[in-house]
Amino acid sequence: MIIWLPSYPKSGNTFLRSLLTAYLFTKDGKFNFDVLKNINQFPNNITFEKLGIDISNEREVIKNYIKVQEETNKRDGQGIRFLKTHSTLQDIDGHKFTNLNNCLGAIYIVRDPRDIAKSYSNHYQTSLDDAINEMKNFKISGGIKNSKDRKSETIVHIGSWSSHYASWKEFDKVDRYLLIKYEDLVEETEKTFLKVLTFICKITKKKLDLDKNKLKNVLNTTTFSNLQNLEKKNGFGEASNLNGKKITFFKYGAKNNWKNFLTSENKKTIEDLFKEEMKELGYL
């Protein structure tokens, strides 16, 4: 069964996946980029191709979301599979993204949209104004045919920052939802990560048997500075490649304080756009 790790882009999904894969998929808790492969992205064209779905037809991809999840669960048997997604949970053309027959729950990672703006701007090499404009509209990413990066071929319906956040709260109605703020994950990593592990045990109906030595290694090897060093040494496959130039993925992290980057106009625009959600989350 699937456990979703949804987030709007540049919200800290990679950090959470680093913690999870280091703890769940290594013997000693020592992180490296290869272990991230244990948590795949959905949708992913390669998976759809294997089932004979025409990936050049967007409608065919959308209407087969659940079929692909069903086939994935059949292969996994009674196992648990974590899947990262930037997709909205909103219905697209009358088709649902997932259902409770195929998943156990969702761990949603949210981040202050004022901080997302700068990270988004760097990742896509666009202006802050353009980044903010993208965040307010119903964004669709991917769909780049014959891309050298297969991830860029997959069309993902993201939505706006606010609609994305609101859509995934549907899982809260059935008590299968954990909201994680990126800021808490950075400032209180151990405490917040333990909440994640506890939630996973709850929805999988297992007892948490914490390996403290392994956890210590996880925390020591997933610091932002260590992730930066790993990227400098080995590169990082999820970094953007624009016009043949690799864009640094682990660039700002906790230092990405919106107060250092946003103009007063940028700040006002974001706060006006997302006032209700930011108040709900304690960002205002």
Side-chain angles (χ1 to χ4, degrees):
M1 291 287 279
I2 296 165
I3 297 177
W4 293 105
L5 304 178
S7 67
Y8 192 83
K10 308 311 297 177
S11 296
N13 201 304
T14 303
F15 186 25
L16 178 57
R17 286 184 293 125
S18 298
L19 292 163
L20 277 172
T21 52
Y23 188 81
L24 297 175
F25 300 104
T26 69
K27 292 182 179 180
D28 55 10
K30 294 181 180 179
F31 175 76
N32 63 77
F33 284 151
D34 282 342
V35 296
L36 284 174
K37 295 175 183 177
N38 288 286
I39 299 180
N40 294 321
Q41 181 166 305
F42 188 94
N44 181 309
N45 274 358
I46 296 173
T47 308
F48 283 71
E49 282 179 319
K50 288 179 179 178
L51 292 175
I53 296 164
D54 182 5
I55 60 170
S56 66
N57 186 326
E58 184 179 354
R59 289 179 177 270
E60 282 297 303
V61 171
I62 292 168
K63 79 177 188 180
N64 281 290
Y65 280 162
I66 289 178
K67 177 184 175 181
V68 172
Q69 292 167 34
E70 289 172 344
E71 293 299 318
T72 298
N73 282 325
K74 284 180 185 177
R75 289 199 308 272
D76 291 344
Q78 298 299 311
I80 302 301
R81 179 183 290 266
F82 294 90
L83 288 176
K84 163 198 172 179
T85 189
H86 289 316
S87 288
T88 178
L89 197 61
Q90 294 167 273
D91 292 0
I92 306 295
D93 291 340
H95 299 288
K96 292 188 178 299
F97 178 74
T98 190
N99 60 30
L100 294 176
N101 293 327
N102 285 291
C103 63
L104 292 175
I107 303 169
Y108 190 87
I109 310 102
V110 71
R111 187 182 190 182
D112 189 324
R114 293 169 296 192
D115 282 329
I116 289 178
K118 181 57 182 175
S119 284
Y120 193 101
S121 172
N122 173 70
H123 187 72
Y124 293 102
Q125 292 294 282
T126 188
S127 70
L128 277 169
D129 288 339
D130 286 344
I132 294 167
N133 194 53
E134 289 275 330
M135 291 168 66
K136 77 175 182 179
N137 294 319
F138 192 99
K139 177 177 171 58
I140 298 175
S141 69
I144 303 172
K145 304 297 182 184
N146 302 315
S147 171
K148 293 181 180 179
D149 180 359
R150 290 307 307 270
K151 294 192 298 295
S152 297
E153 291 185 342
T154 305
I155 293 177
V156 181
H157 292 255
I158 298 172
S160 67
W161 180 84
S162 55
S163 67
H164 193 284
Y165 164 64
S167 70
W168 281 93
K169 286 196 290 182
E170 284 296 308
F171 274 93
D172 199 21
K173 296 176 181 178
V174 291
D175 198 28
R176 299 194 195 182
Y177 177 80
L178 178 66
L179 176 68
I180 293 295
K181 292 171 74 172
Y182 172 74
E183 295 79 11
D184 292 338
L185 202 59
V186 170
E187 295 167 12
E188 297 181 297
T189 306
E190 181 174 356
K191 178 181 177 181
T192 307
F193 185 52
L194 286 174
K195 286 183 181 179
V196 172
L197 294 178
T198 300
F199 174 76
I200 292 169
C201 288
K202 171 191 166 184
I203 60 176
T204 57
K205 298 181 180 179
K206 294 181 180 179
K207 181 181 177 181
L208 177 58
D209 185 15
L210 188 66
D211 186 329
K212 293 183 178 179
N213 288 327
K214 194 175 188 181
L215 177 62
K216 182 179 178 181
N217 286 337
V218 170
L219 297 174
N220 287 338
T221 58
T222 55
T223 62
F224 192 75
S225 59
N226 191 57
L227 296 176
Q228 282 184 312
N229 290 333
L230 284 174
E231 182 177 17
K232 287 178 183 177
K233 182 179 179 181
N234 305 312
F236 184 51
E238 295 182 28
S240 295
N241 191 335
L242 301 176
N243 299 319
K245 177 186 176 184
K246 274 283 186 182
I247 308 301
T248 302
F249 190 92
F250 298 103
K251 187 170 184 177
Y252 295 109
K255 293 180 181 178
N256 182 26
N257 189 317
W258 59 266
K259 295 177 183 177
N260 298 327
F261 299 106
L262 299 189
T263 65
S264 57
E265 185 177 347
N266 292 150
K267 173 180 175 293
K268 185 178 186 306
T269 299
I270 293 173
E271 292 175 356
D272 286 348
L273 283 170
F274 308 128
K275 185 177 182 178
E276 181 180 338
E277 294 80 12
M278 290 179 73
K279 280 188 173 182
E280 179 181 317
L281 290 162
Y283 293 134
L284 287 179

